[in-house]
Each structure stands twice: as structure tokens, then as C-alpha cells.
Short mmCIF file of all heavy atoms in Angstrom, two decimals:
data_model
loop_
_atom_site.label_atom_id
_atom_site.label_comp_id
_atom_site.label_asym_id
_atom_site.label_seq_id
_atom_site.Cartn_x
_atom_site.Cartn_y
_atom_site.Cartn_z
N THR A 1 -58.46 27.00 18.96
CA THR A 1 -58.09 28.39 19.27
C THR A 1 -56.60 28.49 19.27
O THR A 1 -55.87 27.42 19.18
CB THR A 1 -58.67 28.87 20.63
OG1 THR A 1 -58.11 28.05 21.68
CG2 THR A 1 -60.20 28.74 20.65
N LEU A 2 -56.04 29.70 19.36
CA LEU A 2 -54.60 29.91 19.28
C LEU A 2 -54.11 30.60 20.52
O LEU A 2 -54.78 31.38 21.15
CB LEU A 2 -54.27 30.74 18.06
CG LEU A 2 -54.21 30.11 16.67
CD1 LEU A 2 -53.66 31.14 15.70
CD2 LEU A 2 -53.40 28.84 16.70
N ARG A 3 -52.79 30.30 20.89
CA ARG A 3 -52.03 31.09 21.81
C ARG A 3 -50.65 31.26 21.22
O ARG A 3 -50.25 30.55 20.29
CB ARG A 3 -51.97 30.42 23.15
CG ARG A 3 -51.24 29.08 23.18
CD ARG A 3 -51.21 28.48 24.55
NE ARG A 3 -50.60 27.16 24.59
CZ ARG A 3 -49.31 27.00 24.78
NH1 ARG A 3 -48.46 28.02 24.97
NH2 ARG A 3 -48.83 25.74 24.81
N ARG A 4 -49.92 32.25 21.72
CA ARG A 4 -48.58 32.48 21.21
C ARG A 4 -47.56 32.08 22.33
O ARG A 4 -47.75 32.40 23.53
CB ARG A 4 -48.38 33.93 20.88
CG ARG A 4 -47.10 34.24 20.11
CD ARG A 4 -46.98 35.70 19.79
NE ARG A 4 -47.96 36.16 18.87
CZ ARG A 4 -47.84 36.04 17.52
NH1 ARG A 4 -46.81 35.40 17.00
NH2 ARG A 4 -48.78 36.48 16.75
N SER A 5 -46.53 31.39 21.91
CA SER A 5 -45.43 31.01 22.85
C SER A 5 -44.15 31.41 22.15
O SER A 5 -43.64 30.75 21.25
CB SER A 5 -45.45 29.49 23.07
OG SER A 5 -44.36 29.09 23.92
N GLY A 6 -43.61 32.55 22.59
CA GLY A 6 -42.39 33.07 21.93
C GLY A 6 -42.75 33.47 20.51
O GLY A 6 -43.67 34.27 20.28
N ASP A 7 -42.04 32.91 19.55
CA ASP A 7 -42.37 33.25 18.16
C ASP A 7 -43.23 32.13 17.48
O ASP A 7 -43.38 32.15 16.25
CB ASP A 7 -41.08 33.43 17.35
CG ASP A 7 -40.18 32.19 17.35
OD1 ASP A 7 -40.51 31.24 18.08
OD2 ASP A 7 -39.17 32.17 16.60
N ARG A 8 -43.76 31.29 18.27
CA ARG A 8 -44.59 30.22 17.72
C ARG A 8 -46.03 30.40 18.03
O ARG A 8 -46.43 30.97 19.09
CB ARG A 8 -44.15 28.85 18.34
CG ARG A 8 -42.71 28.45 18.04
CD ARG A 8 -42.45 27.02 18.46
NE ARG A 8 -42.73 26.84 19.91
CZ ARG A 8 -42.75 25.63 20.50
NH1 ARG A 8 -42.44 24.51 19.78
NH2 ARG A 8 -43.06 25.53 21.80
N LEU A 9 -46.89 29.96 17.12
CA LEU A 9 -48.31 29.91 17.31
C LEU A 9 -48.73 28.48 17.63
O LEU A 9 -48.36 27.54 16.90
CB LEU A 9 -49.09 30.42 16.09
CG LEU A 9 -48.89 31.86 15.73
CD1 LEU A 9 -49.60 32.19 14.39
CD2 LEU A 9 -49.45 32.76 16.83
N ILE A 10 -49.46 28.30 18.72
CA ILE A 10 -49.80 26.92 19.19
C ILE A 10 -51.28 26.85 19.44
O ILE A 10 -51.94 27.80 19.93
CB ILE A 10 -49.08 26.65 20.50
CG1 ILE A 10 -47.54 26.72 20.27
CG2 ILE A 10 -49.42 25.26 21.09
CD1 ILE A 10 -46.71 26.56 21.50
N THR A 11 -51.86 25.71 19.05
CA THR A 11 -53.30 25.56 19.17
C THR A 11 -53.68 25.12 20.61
O THR A 11 -52.97 24.47 21.31
CB THR A 11 -53.89 24.48 18.23
OG1 THR A 11 -53.29 23.23 18.54
CG2 THR A 11 -53.57 24.88 16.75
N LYS A 12 -54.89 25.62 21.00
CA LYS A 12 -55.52 25.18 22.22
C LYS A 12 -56.90 24.62 21.86
O LYS A 12 -57.48 25.05 20.86
CB LYS A 12 -55.68 26.40 23.16
CG LYS A 12 -54.41 26.97 23.68
CD LYS A 12 -54.72 28.33 24.40
CE LYS A 12 -55.74 28.12 25.53
NZ LYS A 12 -55.97 29.40 26.26
N THR A 13 -57.39 23.67 22.62
CA THR A 13 -58.70 23.11 22.41
C THR A 13 -59.66 23.65 23.48
O THR A 13 -59.35 23.47 24.66
CB THR A 13 -58.64 21.61 22.38
OG1 THR A 13 -57.78 21.15 21.37
CG2 THR A 13 -60.03 21.02 22.09
N SER A 14 -60.74 24.23 23.06
CA SER A 14 -61.75 24.71 24.01
C SER A 14 -63.05 23.96 23.84
O SER A 14 -63.52 23.71 22.74
CB SER A 14 -61.98 26.21 23.79
OG SER A 14 -63.08 26.66 24.52
N ASN A 15 -63.67 23.64 24.95
CA ASN A 15 -64.97 23.02 24.92
C ASN A 15 -66.10 23.92 25.42
O ASN A 15 -67.22 23.47 25.68
CB ASN A 15 -64.98 21.74 25.80
CG ASN A 15 -63.98 20.71 25.27
OD1 ASN A 15 -62.94 20.45 25.93
ND2 ASN A 15 -64.19 20.13 24.11
N ALA A 16 -65.76 25.19 25.62
CA ALA A 16 -66.76 26.15 26.12
C ALA A 16 -67.89 26.24 25.07
O ALA A 16 -67.65 26.28 23.85
CB ALA A 16 -66.08 27.53 26.29
N PRO A 17 -69.13 26.36 25.56
CA PRO A 17 -70.22 26.50 24.62
C PRO A 17 -70.04 27.73 23.73
O PRO A 17 -69.72 28.79 24.24
CB PRO A 17 -71.46 26.65 25.54
CG PRO A 17 -71.00 26.00 26.79
CD PRO A 17 -69.56 26.32 26.98
N ALA A 18 -70.28 27.53 22.45
CA ALA A 18 -70.21 28.66 21.45
C ALA A 18 -71.60 29.26 21.32
O ALA A 18 -72.61 28.63 21.45
CB ALA A 18 -69.66 28.17 20.12
N ARG A 19 -71.63 30.56 20.92
CA ARG A 19 -72.86 31.24 20.68
C ARG A 19 -73.75 30.50 19.66
O ARG A 19 -74.94 30.46 19.73
CB ARG A 19 -72.66 32.67 20.24
CG ARG A 19 -71.85 33.52 21.20
CD ARG A 19 -71.60 34.91 20.63
NE ARG A 19 -70.57 35.67 21.40
CZ ARG A 19 -69.35 35.61 21.14
NH1 ARG A 19 -68.82 34.92 20.15
NH2 ARG A 19 -68.50 36.38 21.88
N SER A 20 -73.08 30.01 18.61
CA SER A 20 -73.76 29.38 17.55
C SER A 20 -74.31 28.01 17.92
O SER A 20 -75.16 27.41 17.22
CB SER A 20 -72.84 29.17 16.35
OG SER A 20 -71.69 28.32 16.67
N GLY A 21 -73.77 27.42 18.98
CA GLY A 21 -74.13 26.04 19.37
C GLY A 21 -73.38 24.98 18.60
O GLY A 21 -73.58 23.80 18.78
N CYS A 22 -72.47 25.38 17.70
CA CYS A 22 -71.71 24.46 16.85
C CYS A 22 -70.51 23.94 17.62
O CYS A 22 -69.90 24.64 18.47
CB CYS A 22 -71.22 25.19 15.57
SG CYS A 22 -72.55 25.81 14.55
N MET A 23 -70.11 22.73 17.34
CA MET A 23 -68.93 22.12 17.86
C MET A 23 -68.25 21.28 16.72
O MET A 23 -68.79 20.27 16.37
CB MET A 23 -69.23 21.24 19.07
CG MET A 23 -68.02 20.57 19.67
SD MET A 23 -66.93 21.72 20.51
CE MET A 23 -67.80 22.02 22.05
N PRO A 24 -67.14 21.75 16.14
CA PRO A 24 -66.43 22.98 16.54
C PRO A 24 -67.08 24.24 15.90
O PRO A 24 -67.86 24.09 14.96
CB PRO A 24 -65.03 22.73 15.91
CG PRO A 24 -65.34 21.91 14.69
CD PRO A 24 -66.47 21.03 15.11
N SER A 25 -66.72 25.38 16.47
CA SER A 25 -67.25 26.64 15.97
C SER A 25 -66.18 27.55 15.42
O SER A 25 -65.04 27.50 15.81
CB SER A 25 -67.94 27.40 17.20
OG SER A 25 -68.32 28.68 16.86
#
């Protein structure tokens, strides 16, 4: 997933269950 820090885009890693059941989703 993404978050913004100033003018930069930075990735985040989430382990929350996805609707599809896929990992990664």
C-alpha cells in the first residue's frame, strides 16, 4: 500500500485480510 510523506510516495506493508483472500492482494 502507499502513503505520502511530503512530496514522496512511500510503501507500507499490510497483513490485514483482503476480501479476495489473496496475499498479496
Side-chain angles (χ1 to χ4, degrees):
T1 63
L2 281 188
R3 65 180 176 89
R4 192 180 292 276
S5 177
D7 60 352
R8 299 188 305 171
L9 294 174
I10 299 175
T11 63
K12 295 170 56 180
T13 301
S14 169
N15 299 111
R19 302 178 191 90
S20 64
C22 299
M23 181 68 79
S25 170

